[in-house]
Amino acid sequence: MTDVSNEFAINATQAGLYMSAFFMGYLVTQIPGGLMADKLQPKYILIVCTLCSGLATALMSVIPGYTPGLLLRIITGICSGCVMASCSKIVAVNFAPQERAIGMGILLASPPFGITLANSIGNPLNAAMGWRKTFLLVGVLAAVVIAALLLFVKPIPKAPASAAAVKKPGMLEGLKVFFADPQQLILGLSGFMFMFVTVGFATWANTYAGTLGFTRAQGGMVIIAYSIAGIVGSCLSGGIAKRLKMSHKNFLLISLVLMSVMTLVFSFQRSYSALMIAGIVYGFVSYLPSTHYTTLAMQRAGDQYSATAASTQNLLFQISSMVQPAVIGTILDMNNNYALIWYSFFACLVISVVVSFAVKKD
């Protein structure tokens, strides 16, 4: 962002719009992505989306000015918005219901893994090659993903002709099923509060560490440790619940309670080592709930509308990602007390726990 801003002489607001432009496209295609994944072959949707987003990313290396880059960021977001739904559909088809949470947990470990990878290799690549060649290299990596999709992902078998003749639901049927189910809306509200906190940590942890006297590099290491622990937590989440023979609801409630406790524990730390240890534990418990939110939504919608349910729920969750920086920023502007970040997050988690009590068991 700094290099692009210097080269094109753009201000911080314009630079921030590069991120907003991506999320604009990303959110717009969440529901259409789910509807398409339920009706079409998710394997081919993923191939097309990966190809287009890879090209858009690679083309960032040759942009002559600010506006073309903004357009390419929107295109990248539009393509990325369809990915979660298609991946969820493939997991739903290939994993039996009792094993699905394990598959979803591994799938949902990919976002924190991607963030960790980007933060780990982004600066070294940028320093060695410059921002343009870095974008080009990341764009070319899409070819590796496409090759893996072609080789390892099988098309979803078509329904028998007799079954297709019995029922041909409309394109928007899955959306109606989702919003007509009060349980899905309860999960959506609970998850909105949950996502407010998880995204909020990545947004504000570095700034908060700075108020305690630590460097940006030290704050960044706390976030990386948090993310790595989150990857482990997400991968193990489904397996832990299965081993403990716990319902998705009960495991979700316990995970959210642990998150609320660790939010306060993290806020009380003042030494760097204690902050790092608390961040690791916090990251592990913070990525336990996602698997069970998505699995519950997919189970309630049924296999026929599983992708629509996953993508619609993700849309509700990601809206909190957009409003969270503004809400916390306003609180800080009014009080200039960074401890309020964690108290606000704790309040969100309390609401999430209370709402989750209304969720039915599997």
Side-chain angles (χ1 to χ4, degrees):
M1 225 180 235
T2 303
D3 292 345
V4 173
S5 299
N6 292 337
E7 183 170 331
F8 296 146
I10 61 177
N11 57 37
T13 301
Q14 290 175 306
L17 281 173
Y18 270 150
M19 288 300 293
S20 298
F22 172 87
F23 279 106
M24 189 188 309
Y26 179 78
L27 291 176
V28 162
T29 48
Q30 283 298 303
I31 290 178
L35 296 173
M36 287 192 297
D38 279 330
K39 289 293 183 182
L40 308 174
Q41 282 289 353
K43 170 178 178 173
Y44 303 129
I45 295 173
L46 286 174
I47 290 172
V48 172
C49 288
T50 305
L51 175 63
C52 293
S53 62
L55 286 172
T57 302
L59 287 172
M60 285 290 291
S61 65
V62 295
I63 56 173
Y66 172 72
T67 305
L70 198 66
L71 179 61
L72 287 171
R73 291 293 292 165
I74 294 173
I75 293 172
T76 309
I78 288 172
C79 297
S80 301
C82 299
V83 169
M84 175 62 183
S86 293
C87 289
S88 300
K89 186 69 174 184
I90 290 169
V91 169
V93 169
N94 286 282
F95 285 79
Q98 62 271 24
E99 305 287 343
R100 195 166 295 164
I102 297 174
M104 286 304 303
I106 296 170
L107 171 62
L108 291 170
S110 57
F113 178 74
I115 292 169
T116 305
L117 189 65
N119 279 292
S120 302
I121 69 172
N123 281 333
L125 281 175
N126 191 43
M129 305 167 56
W131 69 269
R132 289 184 181 274
K133 288 184 179 178
T134 299
F135 268 113
L136 179 61
L137 177 61
V138 174
V140 170
L141 286 175
V144 178
V145 180
I146 291 171
L149 289 167
L150 288 168
L151 289 171
F152 301 116
V153 177
K154 298 177 182 178
I156 293 176
K158 291 183 178 180
S162 56
V166 172
K167 187 177 182 182
K168 292 184 178 180
M171 191 70 175
L172 299 178
E173 189 67 27
L175 208 55
K176 295 177 183 177
V177 168
F178 183 93
F179 283 106
D181 184 353
Q183 289 288 302
Q184 296 283 29
L185 302 181
I186 291 170
L187 282 168
L189 176 58
S190 174
F192 179 94
M193 294 298 176
F194 158 75
M195 188 64 69
F196 190 98
V197 178
T198 54
V199 174
F201 183 92
T203 306
W204 297 104
N206 205 324
T207 304
Y208 173 73
T211 66
L212 300 178
F214 303 118
T215 65
R216 290 192 65 82
Q218 288 176 311
M221 283 303 299
V222 172
I223 295 175
I224 289 175
Y226 170 93
S227 299
I228 292 173
I231 294 168
V232 176
S234 183
C235 287
L236 297 179
S237 180
I240 293 172
K242 183 181 179 183
R243 184 173 291 274
L244 295 176
K245 297 181 179 180
M246 295 180 66
S247 68
H248 294 301
K249 173 187 175 177
N250 289 343
F251 193 85
L252 186 64
L253 283 169
I254 291 174
S255 301
L256 291 171
V257 169
L258 289 174
M259 267 188 78
S260 62
V261 171
M262 286 309 304
T263 299
L264 294 181
V265 169
F266 185 85
S267 71
F268 295 148
Q269 308 311 310
R270 294 297 177 264
S271 71
Y272 183 66
S273 58
L275 201 69
M276 181 68 79
I277 293 170
I280 291 171
V281 178
Y282 195 14
F284 182 84
V285 300
S286 293
Y287 279 88
L288 293 176
S290 295
T291 300
H292 302 277
Y293 276 119
T294 307
T295 304
L296 278 169
M298 292 168 69
Q299 282 184 350
R300 293 200 63 80
D303 288 352
Q304 187 176 13
Y305 304 121
S306 57
T308 300
S311 61
T312 307
Q313 186 187 72
N314 192 43
L315 173 64
L316 298 178
F317 288 10
Q318 294 299 336
I319 290 173
S320 70
S321 304
M322 295 187 66
V323 304
Q324 173 270 131
V327 172
I328 298 298
T330 301
I331 291 173
L332 293 177
D333 286 340
M334 292 172 62
N335 298 277
N336 197 31
N337 180 359
Y338 280 81
L340 291 175
I341 295 174
W342 312 109
Y343 299 146
S344 300
F345 290 169
F346 178 78
C348 288
L349 289 168
V350 169
I351 295 172
S352 185
V353 170
V354 172
V355 171
S356 295
F357 270 107
V359 176
K360 293 179 181 178
K361 290 189 177 181
D362 309 346

